[in-house]
Structures are given as C-alpha cells and as structure tokens.
Amino acid sequence: MSMSLTPEQRHQVGKELNDNFKLSGLTPDVIQADLAFSHEQFEETIKLGPTSDEAAISRLRDYLDEKLKEQGKKPFSASE
C-alpha cells in the first residue's frame, strides 16, 4: 500500500504516532518485539524519518490503535 504523504499529512501522522505511543504507555522494546522492528527501524518510523517505510508506518499506526483500544483508550487520529 503506497500512501505518499504531503508534508502536512506527514506532520499529522507523526503527531498521531507520537501521541498514541505516549498514550499507550508501551516501551519501544515491547513495540519492537511485537512488530519485529529493529531499534533503528522503530526510531525512524516513529519520527517519520526520511528512510521510514510507508508499510512500517501503517503497521505501527494500526498496532498502536489496536493496543489503545485493548486498553479502553481512544486513539488519536490524524484524520480528525
């Protein structure tokens, strides 16, 4: 799935990932283990760095959404 993001969308998605990451209370180690991300891949993806992969961004986003729902919390969404 390719979702070429505009700079504005990248900003929104980056904020969503960070907000949901903080809200989840999960550690990078737990997320890396669950998603089979390397430390570098996690860091690059959560920051939406220049080498971050669209598929990894989607996986991280979906994962955080799911974890927050399991915790009974409402995930932040970039599209709201």
Side-chain angles (χ1 to χ4, degrees):
M1 167 175 118
S2 177
M3 48 181 227
S4 295
L5 300 173
T6 65
E8 175 60 25
Q9 288 169 318
R10 280 185 84 80
H11 175 75
Q12 291 293 333
V13 171
K15 182 172 175 5
E16 174 189 326
L17 286 176
N18 274 294
D19 289 348
N20 285 339
F21 171 54
K22 287 186 191 114
L23 184 63
S24 75
L26 297 167
T27 64
D29 290 343
V30 167
I31 296 170
Q32 287 162 210
D34 283 352
L35 294 178
F37 280 7
S38 67
H39 175 72
E40 294 74 23
Q41 185 182 17
F42 173 76
E43 289 296 319
E44 190 67 7
T45 304
I46 197 83
K47 289 195 290 241
L48 291 186
T51 65
S52 61
D53 172 70
E54 304 273 347
I57 294 166
S58 285
R59 281 179 59 212
L60 180 58
R61 203 172 169 185
D62 292 346
Y63 170 86
L64 289 171
D65 271 9
E66 190 179 310
K67 290 295 175 189
L68 288 168
K69 287 174 184 159
E70 283 173 12
Q71 295 173 12
K73 298 174 182 168
K74 182 178 186 323
F76 293 99
S77 172
S79 57
E80 286 177 5

